[in-house]
Structures are given as C-alpha cells and as structure tokens.
Amino acid sequence: MGAFRSVAWRGDRLVLLDQRRLPGAKVYLELSTAAEVAEAIREMAVRGAPAIGAAAAYGIALAALRGEDLSQADQVLRASRPTAVNLFWALDRMRRIWEGFQGSPEALARRLVEEAERIAEEDVLANKAIGQNALSLIPDEARILHHCNTGSLATVDYGTALGIIRMAHEAGKKVHAFLDETRPRLQGARLSAFEMNELGIPHTVIVDGASGHVMKTFGIDLVVVGADRIAKNGDTANKIGTYNLAIAARYHGIPFYVAAPTSTIDLKTKTGAEIPIEERAPEEVAYCGPVRVVPEGSPVYNPAFDVTPAELITAIITEVGIAYPPYEESLPALVEKAREDRP
Ligand code: MRU
C-alpha cells in the first residue's frame, strides 16, 4: 500500500499495524514470541485471513529464533482463531519444514524466516493477480458493494476483494465502492473506508441493513467479498452478513463474486456445513465503543462468520484464474494450477 504494511518483518521481530486502533491512530506492535502473535490474532490486532496466515508463519519463525518448542508454538497459534483456513494452511507449510529438519537450530531458524517471508511475498503477488484476473468482470463506472475489510490491512498488502476495486480504479474504470460498515467490529466503516480514503478511491459507507435498499435504488453492478474458507463445493465462509448480502444480490439479479487466493480454498472440507464458525464475546455486540447498548440481562449471540452456499456465488476469483460452477470441478483444478505455478 505504501504508507503502511499490516505485517512486516524486522530481522528478529514481527511488526503489526494494530488494527484495533484504526482509523484514529497508527500504532505499531512489535512482537517477539509466538504467544504474542497468537494473542494479536485472537484479539484482532491483525485480522483478515491472509494476514492471519502470514502473521502465524512469522510466529513460528520467532519461536525458532528464540529456541522455543515449535510444536507448542504451532499449537498455540492454531488455537488463536478457528475459521480462516489460511492460518492452518500457513502453519502446515511451516510444519513441513521444521518437522524432520536436518541441520543446526540456527539453520532451521533461518529457513523458517525465509519461508515466512516467501508466504508474505506470495500473498502480495497473489492479490495483484486476483485484481488483474477480475478486470474483465468490472464494467466502467461500476457501483460495487463490498463487505468487511479485505484490503491491504487484511492481507500482507494490496488486498483481495478491495484489491479488485483498487485495480479497477488504477485501470481508470471510475468505480464507486459502497462499503458495508460490518457490525459488530466495523471493519468496513473503520478499515475499508480508511484504505479507500488513503488511496483516493470514491466510496460511501452504509450500515449493513442498507444493502438491499442500496441495491434497489442505486443500481449496484456487482458485489465482491473476500473469504475465510472456501469448501470444495464452493460454499464460502466469510464475515457475518455475507450470506444476507448474497441472498439480496440474487433477488436483485446482481452478480455476487468471491475473491480469494487459492490458500483460502480448503479441499479437505467438502461443504460449508463442516466449516467451524467462530463465536466471539457478547460484549462486541452489547457495546458500541464504551457505551452499553444492549440491556444487562439480554442474551447476545455473536457468530463472527456465516456460510454463503455455492449456488449464490456467481464466480470465485483467484490468483490463477476464475472458478465458475460446478465448483467441485473448477476449484480443485485451480488449486492444482497454483501448485504447478509455485517456483
Ligand atoms: O474477523 P475478520 O475481520 O478477520 O474477518 C475478515 C473477513 O471476513 C474477510 O472478508 C476475509 O478474511 C478475507 S480478507 C482478504
């Protein structure tokens, strides 16, 4: 993005831009243990599936540099958040290196830092390729509805769904983004609007409940969202509210796109019913900032994600191409292509 990087390595420390403090303050956290990284993920100082994956990979590198037990570090990081498969994908990739490594602890640490760097750099390239691949789907002057935050902050840099909007803007398409505020953590209002502002991309923030009305009255051309986990059949877990948006898009005949790197596709998960959905603390809903808005004693249910059924998804845009239904066939083919393309 230029002005900041959500996840950055500084030789022996991981530096994260604390997303809980945005847009009010740009505060950087310096982390030097896997436990600190796990806490930053759990507390959402770093968030967004690809950013979580990269941060966790650096967490393993930090553990190796400090001579910590790697399987313990791996476990602590795995327990930080359950839904984004990029976390497990990155930790599996790191594990393949440290398990059975032949060499000194110093050599292993160097190798793990290198692998974490590779994961981070590949993510940036993947995001730009997603943006390029999507260009043909974005009409000039498109009005695009977006949910949550999927930009530079949610990735290592550039972003997935928001990256598509950015790429279209940079290509001169005069797009306008409508940003769902995304209750309860307000990733759309706080983070996506922050990024669009910094980039000078025309945008408007709306409350989540306004999306149907905006589709009907403004003539939205397409919806694009990110993903935390895509099952083999195309069912997609993403930020709570995505499912509602997909239903509203179908009713209005608006294409509904999911944008994600192939590291978000989980072929081991057959359908969305198998995806673990994180439930977060009721306080996230009960309070607006410091003010309690739900009466004491009223129960709150706070699922952080929902699953959009594949049949509501027009296409899934990845770094190696666009998957169309039937996803059981197109997704494994793209995952295979990504494997072949990797240097
Ligand atoms: O709870 P969050 O903020 O980590 O959820 C983020 C999302 O749901 C994103 O849409 C998804 O991780 C894709 S980010 C490129």
Side-chain angles (χ1 to χ4, degrees), residues 145 178 180 206 210-223 244-256:
L145 191 48
F178 287 84
D180 275 354
I206 59 172
S211 51
H213 176 73
V214 167
M215 284 179 191
K216 192 166 78 179
T217 55
F218 282 89
I220 292 294
D221 297 291
L222 62 130
V223 178
N244 298 31
L245 211 52
I247 294 169
R250 172 59 54 91
Y251 180 80
H252 291 95
I254 297 169
F256 184 92

PDB file of all heavy atoms in Angstrom, residues 145 178 180 206 210-223 244-256:
ATOM      1  N   LEU A 145     -20.551  -3.190  -4.380  1.00  0.00           N
ATOM      2  CA  LEU A 145     -20.845  -3.339  -2.945  1.00  0.00           C
ATOM      3  C   LEU A 145     -19.829  -4.300  -2.335  1.00  0.00           C
ATOM      4  O   LEU A 145     -19.520  -5.352  -2.912  1.00  0.00           O
ATOM      5  CB  LEU A 145     -22.277  -3.856  -2.779  1.00  0.00           C
ATOM      6  CG  LEU A 145     -22.896  -3.843  -1.389  1.00  0.00           C
ATOM      7  CD1 LEU A 145     -22.707  -2.508  -0.687  1.00  0.00           C
ATOM      8  CD2 LEU A 145     -24.386  -4.142  -1.500  1.00  0.00           C
ATOM      9  N   PHE A 178     -19.370   0.896  -2.419  1.00  0.00           N
ATOM     10  CA  PHE A 178     -20.277   1.042  -1.281  1.00  0.00           C
ATOM     11  C   PHE A 178     -19.792   0.071  -0.215  1.00  0.00           C
ATOM     12  O   PHE A 178     -19.693  -1.137  -0.466  1.00  0.00           O
ATOM     13  CB  PHE A 178     -21.720   0.756  -1.692  1.00  0.00           C
ATOM     14  CG  PHE A 178     -22.300   1.855  -2.534  1.00  0.00           C
ATOM     15  CD1 PHE A 178     -22.085   1.896  -3.904  1.00  0.00           C
ATOM     16  CD2 PHE A 178     -23.026   2.879  -1.943  1.00  0.00           C
ATOM     17  CE1 PHE A 178     -22.588   2.930  -4.670  1.00  0.00           C
ATOM     18  CE2 PHE A 178     -23.537   3.931  -2.709  1.00  0.00           C
ATOM     19  CZ  PHE A 178     -23.319   3.956  -4.078  1.00  0.00           C
ATOM     20  N   ASP A 180     -20.156  -1.744   3.308  1.00  0.00           N
ATOM     21  CA  ASP A 180     -20.946  -2.110   4.493  1.00  0.00           C
ATOM     22  C   ASP A 180     -20.129  -1.789   5.740  1.00  0.00           C
ATOM     23  O   ASP A 180     -18.953  -2.143   5.813  1.00  0.00           O
ATOM     24  CB  ASP A 180     -21.198  -3.627   4.504  1.00  0.00           C
ATOM     25  CG  ASP A 180     -22.398  -4.028   3.676  1.00  0.00           C
ATOM     26  OD1 ASP A 180     -23.110  -3.144   3.181  1.00  0.00           O
ATOM     27  OD2 ASP A 180     -22.621  -5.252   3.554  1.00  0.00           O
ATOM     28  N   ILE A 206     -22.121   2.523   4.244  1.00  0.00           N
ATOM     29  CA  ILE A 206     -23.549   2.324   4.552  1.00  0.00           C
ATOM     30  C   ILE A 206     -23.667   1.363   5.741  1.00  0.00           C
ATOM     31  O   ILE A 206     -22.743   0.582   5.980  1.00  0.00           O
ATOM     32  CB  ILE A 206     -24.336   1.748   3.340  1.00  0.00           C
ATOM     33  CG1 ILE A 206     -23.761   0.405   2.886  1.00  0.00           C
ATOM     34  CG2 ILE A 206     -24.345   2.745   2.195  1.00  0.00           C
ATOM     35  CD1 ILE A 206     -24.609  -0.307   1.826  1.00  0.00           C
ATOM     36  N   ALA A 210     -28.619  -1.458   5.141  1.00  0.00           N
ATOM     37  CA  ALA A 210     -28.995  -0.629   3.983  1.00  0.00           C
ATOM     38  C   ALA A 210     -28.694  -1.319   2.654  1.00  0.00           C
ATOM     39  O   ALA A 210     -29.075  -0.811   1.590  1.00  0.00           O
ATOM     40  CB  ALA A 210     -28.255   0.716   4.031  1.00  0.00           C
ATOM     41  N   SER A 211     -28.041  -2.468   2.679  1.00  0.00           N
ATOM     42  CA  SER A 211     -27.537  -3.027   1.412  1.00  0.00           C
ATOM     43  C   SER A 211     -28.660  -3.353   0.425  1.00  0.00           C
ATOM     44  O   SER A 211     -28.521  -3.070  -0.772  1.00  0.00           O
ATOM     45  CB  SER A 211     -26.646  -4.242   1.667  1.00  0.00           C
ATOM     46  OG  SER A 211     -27.286  -5.165   2.503  1.00  0.00           O
ATOM     47  N   GLY A 212     -29.768  -3.925   0.891  1.00  0.00           N
ATOM     48  CA  GLY A 212     -30.881  -4.240  -0.022  1.00  0.00           C
ATOM     49  C   GLY A 212     -31.433  -2.968  -0.656  1.00  0.00           C
ATOM     50  O   GLY A 212     -31.646  -2.890  -1.865  1.00  0.00           O
ATOM     51  N   HIS A 213     -31.619  -1.954   0.170  1.00  0.00           N
ATOM     52  CA  HIS A 213     -32.146  -0.668  -0.302  1.00  0.00           C
ATOM     53  C   HIS A 213     -31.192  -0.051  -1.326  1.00  0.00           C
ATOM     54  O   HIS A 213     -31.629   0.475  -2.363  1.00  0.00           O
ATOM     55  CB  HIS A 213     -32.320   0.253   0.912  1.00  0.00           C
ATOM     56  CG  HIS A 213     -32.770   1.627   0.566  1.00  0.00           C
ATOM     57  ND1 HIS A 213     -34.048   1.904   0.152  1.00  0.00           N
ATOM     58  CD2 HIS A 213     -32.092   2.805   0.564  1.00  0.00           C
ATOM     59  CE1 HIS A 213     -34.144   3.209  -0.097  1.00  0.00           C
ATOM     60  NE2 HIS A 213     -32.972   3.774   0.142  1.00  0.00           N
ATOM     61  N   VAL A 214     -29.902  -0.130  -1.047  1.00  0.00           N
ATOM     62  CA  VAL A 214     -28.898   0.457  -1.959  1.00  0.00           C
ATOM     63  C   VAL A 214     -28.874  -0.323  -3.278  1.00  0.00           C
ATOM     64  O   VAL A 214     -28.759   0.267  -4.360  1.00  0.00           O
ATOM     65  CB  VAL A 214     -27.515   0.503  -1.267  1.00  0.00           C
ATOM     66  CG1 VAL A 214     -26.402   0.800  -2.258  1.00  0.00           C
ATOM     67  CG2 VAL A 214     -27.515   1.569  -0.170  1.00  0.00           C
ATOM     68  N   MET A 215     -29.017  -1.640  -3.205  1.00  0.00           N
ATOM     69  CA  MET A 215     -29.073  -2.437  -4.445  1.00  0.00           C
ATOM     70  C   MET A 215     -30.253  -1.992  -5.305  1.00  0.00           C
ATOM     71  O   MET A 215     -30.150  -1.851  -6.515  1.00  0.00           O
ATOM     72  CB  MET A 215     -29.244  -3.925  -4.114  1.00  0.00           C
ATOM     73  CG  MET A 215     -27.992  -4.592  -3.626  1.00  0.00           C
ATOM     74  SD  MET A 215     -28.322  -6.328  -3.234  1.00  0.00           S
ATOM     75  CE  MET A 215     -26.807  -6.750  -2.393  1.00  0.00           C
ATOM     76  N   LYS A 216     -31.391  -1.788  -4.636  1.00  0.00           N
ATOM     77  CA  LYS A 216     -32.604  -1.440  -5.371  1.00  0.00           C
ATOM     78  C   LYS A 216     -32.546  -0.020  -5.928  1.00  0.00           C
ATOM     79  O   LYS A 216     -32.920   0.213  -7.075  1.00  0.00           O
ATOM     80  CB  LYS A 216     -33.830  -1.586  -4.447  1.00  0.00           C
ATOM     81  CG  LYS A 216     -35.151  -1.520  -5.184  1.00  0.00           C
ATOM     82  CD  LYS A 216     -36.296  -2.004  -4.337  1.00  0.00           C
ATOM     83  CE  LYS A 216     -36.710  -0.927  -3.359  1.00  0.00           C
ATOM     84  NZ  LYS A 216     -37.850  -1.373  -2.523  1.00  0.00           N
ATOM     85  N   THR A 217     -32.039   0.929  -5.125  1.00  0.00           N
ATOM     86  CA  THR A 217     -32.165   2.333  -5.525  1.00  0.00           C
ATOM     87  C   THR A 217     -30.947   2.878  -6.288  1.00  0.00           C
ATOM     88  O   THR A 217     -31.092   3.771  -7.104  1.00  0.00           O
ATOM     89  CB  THR A 217     -32.415   3.229  -4.295  1.00  0.00           C
ATOM     90  OG1 THR A 217     -31.365   2.988  -3.370  1.00  0.00           O
ATOM     91  CG2 THR A 217     -33.742   2.935  -3.647  1.00  0.00           C
ATOM     92  N   PHE A 218     -29.735   2.355  -6.019  1.00  0.00           N
ATOM     93  CA  PHE A 218     -28.543   2.900  -6.671  1.00  0.00           C
ATOM     94  C   PHE A 218     -28.118   2.105  -7.897  1.00  0.00           C
ATOM     95  O   PHE A 218     -27.222   2.522  -8.615  1.00  0.00           O
ATOM     96  CB  PHE A 218     -27.355   2.961  -5.700  1.00  0.00           C
ATOM     97  CG  PHE A 218     -27.412   4.121  -4.747  1.00  0.00           C
ATOM     98  CD1 PHE A 218     -28.056   4.000  -3.535  1.00  0.00           C
ATOM     99  CD2 PHE A 218     -26.810   5.330  -5.065  1.00  0.00           C
ATOM    100  CE1 PHE A 218     -28.109   5.063  -2.650  1.00  0.00           C
ATOM    101  CE2 PHE A 218     -26.867   6.399  -4.191  1.00  0.00           C
ATOM    102  CZ  PHE A 218     -27.522   6.270  -2.983  1.00  0.00           C
ATOM    103  N   GLY A 219     -28.687   0.920  -8.086  1.00  0.00           N
ATOM    104  CA  GLY A 219     -28.274   0.119  -9.225  1.00  0.00           C
ATOM    105  C   GLY A 219     -26.861  -0.410  -9.065  1.00  0.00           C
ATOM    106  O   GLY A 219     -25.960  -0.053  -9.827  1.00  0.00           O
ATOM    107  N   ILE A 220     -26.654  -1.212  -8.024  1.00  0.00           N
ATOM    108  CA  ILE A 220     -25.336  -1.845  -7.805  1.00  0.00           C
ATOM    109  C   ILE A 220     -25.062  -2.814  -8.966  1.00  0.00           C
ATOM    110  O   ILE A 220     -25.941  -3.591  -9.360  1.00  0.00           O
ATOM    111  CB  ILE A 220     -25.353  -2.588  -6.446  1.00  0.00           C
ATOM    112  CG1 ILE A 220     -25.443  -1.598  -5.281  1.00  0.00           C
ATOM    113  CG2 ILE A 220     -24.144  -3.510  -6.291  1.00  0.00           C
ATOM    114  CD1 ILE A 220     -24.239  -0.700  -5.095  1.00  0.00           C
ATOM    115  N   ASP A 221     -23.837  -2.777  -9.508  1.00  0.00           N
ATOM    116  CA  ASP A 221     -23.486  -3.637 -10.655  1.00  0.00           C
ATOM    117  C   ASP A 221     -22.952  -4.993 -10.231  1.00  0.00           C
ATOM    118  O   ASP A 221     -23.094  -5.977 -10.949  1.00  0.00           O
ATOM    119  CB  ASP A 221     -22.434  -2.941 -11.527  1.00  0.00           C
ATOM    120  CG  ASP A 221     -22.986  -1.665 -12.124  1.00  0.00           C
ATOM    121  OD1 ASP A 221     -23.874  -1.764 -12.988  1.00  0.00           O
ATOM    122  OD2 ASP A 221     -22.563  -0.573 -11.689  1.00  0.00           O
ATOM    123  N   LEU A 222     -22.268  -5.024  -9.097  1.00  0.00           N
ATOM    124  CA  LEU A 222     -21.747  -6.290  -8.608  1.00  0.00           C
ATOM    125  C   LEU A 222     -21.420  -6.191  -7.125  1.00  0.00           C
ATOM    126  O   LEU A 222     -21.199  -5.093  -6.605  1.00  0.00           O
ATOM    127  CB  LEU A 222     -20.493  -6.718  -9.378  1.00  0.00           C
ATOM    128  CG  LEU A 222     -19.291  -5.792  -9.296  1.00  0.00           C
ATOM    129  CD1 LEU A 222     -18.047  -6.574  -8.927  1.00  0.00           C
ATOM    130  CD2 LEU A 222     -19.078  -5.102 -10.625  1.00  0.00           C
ATOM    131  N   VAL A 223     -21.423  -7.352  -6.481  1.00  0.00           N
ATOM    132  CA  VAL A 223     -20.963  -7.445  -5.091  1.00  0.00           C
ATOM    133  C   VAL A 223     -19.669  -8.235  -5.120  1.00  0.00           C
ATOM    134  O   VAL A 223     -19.568  -9.245  -5.837  1.00  0.00           O
ATOM    135  CB  VAL A 223     -21.997  -8.182  -4.205  1.00  0.00           C
ATOM    136  CG1 VAL A 223     -21.488  -8.321  -2.774  1.00  0.00           C
ATOM    137  CG2 VAL A 223     -23.343  -7.481  -4.235  1.00  0.00           C
ATOM    138  N   ASN A 244     -26.470 -12.823   3.979  1.00  0.00           N
ATOM    139  CA  ASN A 244     -27.613 -11.930   3.720  1.00  0.00           C
ATOM    140  C   ASN A 244     -27.408 -11.161   2.413  1.00  0.00           C
ATOM    141  O   ASN A 244     -28.340 -10.978   1.623  1.00  0.00           O
ATOM    142  CB  ASN A 244     -27.758 -10.869   4.824  1.00  0.00           C
ATOM    143  CG  ASN A 244     -28.015 -11.450   6.184  1.00  0.00           C
ATOM    144  OD1 ASN A 244     -27.554 -12.544   6.486  1.00  0.00           O
ATOM    145  ND2 ASN A 244     -28.744 -10.724   7.002  1.00  0.00           N
ATOM    146  N   LEU A 245     -26.167 -10.701   2.228  1.00  0.00           N
ATOM    147  CA  LEU A 245     -25.835  -9.903   1.049  1.00  0.00           C
ATOM    148  C   LEU A 245     -26.020 -10.737  -0.230  1.00  0.00           C
ATOM    149  O   LEU A 245     -26.538 -10.248  -1.238  1.00  0.00           O
ATOM    150  CB  LEU A 245     -24.361  -9.490   1.185  1.00  0.00           C
ATOM    151  CG  LEU A 245     -23.897  -8.193   0.597  1.00  0.00           C
ATOM    152  CD1 LEU A 245     -24.751  -7.032   1.050  1.00  0.00           C
ATOM    153  CD2 LEU A 245     -22.435  -7.958   1.001  1.00  0.00           C
ATOM    154  N   ALA A 246     -25.593 -11.998  -0.160  1.00  0.00           N
ATOM    155  CA  ALA A 246     -25.702 -12.883  -1.326  1.00  0.00           C
ATOM    156  C   ALA A 246     -27.170 -13.149  -1.666  1.00  0.00           C
ATOM    157  O   ALA A 246     -27.542 -13.195  -2.848  1.00  0.00           O
ATOM    158  CB  ALA A 246     -24.970 -14.197  -1.056  1.00  0.00           C
ATOM    159  N   ILE A 247     -27.992 -13.296  -0.648  1.00  0.00           N
ATOM    160  CA  ILE A 247     -29.430 -13.514  -0.892  1.00  0.00           C
ATOM    161  C   ILE A 247     -30.039 -12.266  -1.539  1.00  0.00           C
ATOM    162  O   ILE A 247     -30.785 -12.356  -2.528  1.00  0.00           O
ATOM    163  CB  ILE A 247     -30.166 -13.847   0.431  1.00  0.00           C
ATOM    164  CG1 ILE A 247     -29.691 -15.196   0.981  1.00  0.00           C
ATOM    165  CG2 ILE A 247     -31.684 -13.845   0.236  1.00  0.00           C
ATOM    166  CD1 ILE A 247     -30.167 -15.483   2.390  1.00  0.00           C
ATOM    167  N   ALA A 248     -29.681 -11.098  -0.991  1.00  0.00           N
ATOM    168  CA  ALA A 248     -30.217  -9.845  -1.548  1.00  0.00           C
ATOM    169  C   ALA A 248     -29.726  -9.649  -2.988  1.00  0.00           C
ATOM    170  O   ALA A 248     -30.471  -9.191  -3.855  1.00  0.00           O
ATOM    171  CB  ALA A 248     -29.809  -8.663  -0.675  1.00  0.00           C
ATOM    172  N   ALA A 249     -28.471 -10.007  -3.247  1.00  0.00           N
ATOM    173  CA  ALA A 249     -27.922  -9.852  -4.607  1.00  0.00           C
ATOM    174  C   ALA A 249     -28.684 -10.755  -5.577  1.00  0.00           C
ATOM    175  O   ALA A 249     -29.027 -10.338  -6.689  1.00  0.00           O
ATOM    176  CB  ALA A 249     -26.429 -10.184  -4.610  1.00  0.00           C
ATOM    177  N   ARG A 250     -28.951 -11.992  -5.162  1.00  0.00           N
ATOM    178  CA  ARG A 250     -29.687 -12.926  -6.040  1.00  0.00           C
ATOM    179  C   ARG A 250     -31.073 -12.356  -6.366  1.00  0.00           C
ATOM    180  O   ARG A 250     -31.523 -12.356  -7.506  1.00  0.00           O
ATOM    181  CB  ARG A 250     -29.782 -14.295  -5.352  1.00  0.00           C
ATOM    182  CG  ARG A 250     -30.667 -15.326  -6.046  1.00  0.00           C
ATOM    183  CD  ARG A 250     -30.244 -15.651  -7.474  1.00  0.00           C
ATOM    184  NE  ARG A 250     -28.858 -16.070  -7.600  1.00  0.00           N
ATOM    185  CZ  ARG A 250     -28.438 -17.325  -7.535  1.00  0.00           C
ATOM    186  NH1 ARG A 250     -29.306 -18.291  -7.366  1.00  0.00           N
ATOM    187  NH2 ARG A 250     -27.154 -17.610  -7.652  1.00  0.00           N
ATOM    188  N   TYR A 251     -31.760 -11.829  -5.344  1.00  0.00           N
ATOM    189  CA  TYR A 251     -33.111 -11.279  -5.549  1.00  0.00           C
ATOM    190  C   TYR A 251     -33.084 -10.145  -6.566  1.00  0.00           C
ATOM    191  O   TYR A 251     -33.992 -10.020  -7.400  1.00  0.00           O
ATOM    192  CB  TYR A 251     -33.670 -10.781  -4.203  1.00  0.00           C
ATOM    193  CG  TYR A 251     -35.059 -10.194  -4.327  1.00  0.00           C
ATOM    194  CD1 TYR A 251     -36.181 -11.026  -4.390  1.00  0.00           C
ATOM    195  CD2 TYR A 251     -35.253  -8.812  -4.402  1.00  0.00           C
ATOM    196  CE1 TYR A 251     -37.451 -10.498  -4.527  1.00  0.00           C
ATOM    197  CE2 TYR A 251     -36.515  -8.274  -4.546  1.00  0.00           C
ATOM    198  CZ  TYR A 251     -37.617  -9.117  -4.603  1.00  0.00           C
ATOM    199  OH  TYR A 251     -38.879  -8.592  -4.745  1.00  0.00           O
ATOM    200  N   HIS A 252     -32.003  -9.329  -6.523  1.00  0.00           N
ATOM    201  CA  HIS A 252     -31.914  -8.177  -7.428  1.00  0.00           C
ATOM    202  C   HIS A 252     -31.191  -8.500  -8.738  1.00  0.00           C
ATOM    203  O   HIS A 252     -30.956  -7.593  -9.552  1.00  0.00           O
ATOM    204  CB  HIS A 252     -31.210  -7.002  -6.723  1.00  0.00           C
ATOM    205  CG  HIS A 252     -32.039  -6.405  -5.622  1.00  0.00           C
ATOM    206  ND1 HIS A 252     -31.910  -6.761  -4.291  1.00  0.00           N
ATOM    207  CD2 HIS A 252     -33.045  -5.499  -5.657  1.00  0.00           C
ATOM    208  CE1 HIS A 252     -32.781  -6.099  -3.569  1.00  0.00           C
ATOM    209  NE2 HIS A 252     -33.487  -5.320  -4.360  1.00  0.00           N
ATOM    210  N   GLY A 253     -30.807  -9.764  -8.923  1.00  0.00           N
ATOM    211  CA  GLY A 253     -30.138 -10.168 -10.168  1.00  0.00           C
ATOM    212  C   GLY A 253     -28.741  -9.571 -10.323  1.00  0.00           C
ATOM    213  O   GLY A 253     -28.289  -9.292 -11.432  1.00  0.00           O
ATOM    214  N   ILE A 254     -28.057  -9.372  -9.198  1.00  0.00           N
ATOM    215  CA  ILE A 254     -26.719  -8.753  -9.212  1.00  0.00           C
ATOM    216  C   ILE A 254     -25.658  -9.844  -9.056  1.00  0.00           C
ATOM    217  O   ILE A 254     -25.770 -10.683  -8.158  1.00  0.00           O
ATOM    218  CB  ILE A 254     -26.596  -7.733  -8.041  1.00  0.00           C
ATOM    219  CG1 ILE A 254     -27.614  -6.604  -8.230  1.00  0.00           C
ATOM    220  CG2 ILE A 254     -25.179  -7.193  -7.917  1.00  0.00           C
ATOM    221  CD1 ILE A 254     -27.776  -5.701  -7.022  1.00  0.00           C
ATOM    222  N   PRO A 255     -24.607  -9.860  -9.904  1.00  0.00           N
ATOM    223  CA  PRO A 255     -23.558 -10.869  -9.741  1.00  0.00           C
ATOM    224  C   PRO A 255     -22.882 -10.763  -8.373  1.00  0.00           C
ATOM    225  O   PRO A 255     -22.618  -9.651  -7.898  1.00  0.00           O
ATOM    226  CB  PRO A 255     -22.550 -10.549 -10.855  1.00  0.00           C
ATOM    227  CG  PRO A 255     -23.149  -9.480 -11.689  1.00  0.00           C
ATOM    228  CD  PRO A 255     -24.367  -8.939 -11.020  1.00  0.00           C
ATOM    229  N   PHE A 256     -22.613 -11.904  -7.784  1.00  0.00           N
ATOM    230  CA  PHE A 256     -22.015 -11.966  -6.448  1.00  0.00           C
ATOM    231  C   PHE A 256     -20.694 -12.728  -6.552  1.00  0.00           C
ATOM    232  O   PHE A 256     -20.678 -13.931  -6.789  1.00  0.00           O
ATOM    233  CB  PHE A 256     -22.971 -12.683  -5.481  1.00  0.00           C
ATOM    234  CG  PHE A 256     -22.486 -12.710  -4.068  1.00  0.00           C
ATOM    235  CD1 PHE A 256     -22.853 -11.708  -3.179  1.00  0.00           C
ATOM    236  CD2 PHE A 256     -21.658 -13.726  -3.614  1.00  0.00           C
ATOM    237  CE1 PHE A 256     -22.393 -11.708  -1.869  1.00  0.00           C
ATOM    238  CE2 PHE A 256     -21.191 -13.736  -2.312  1.00  0.00           C
ATOM    239  CZ  PHE A 256     -21.564 -12.736  -1.439  1.00  0.00           C
TER     240      PHE A 256
END
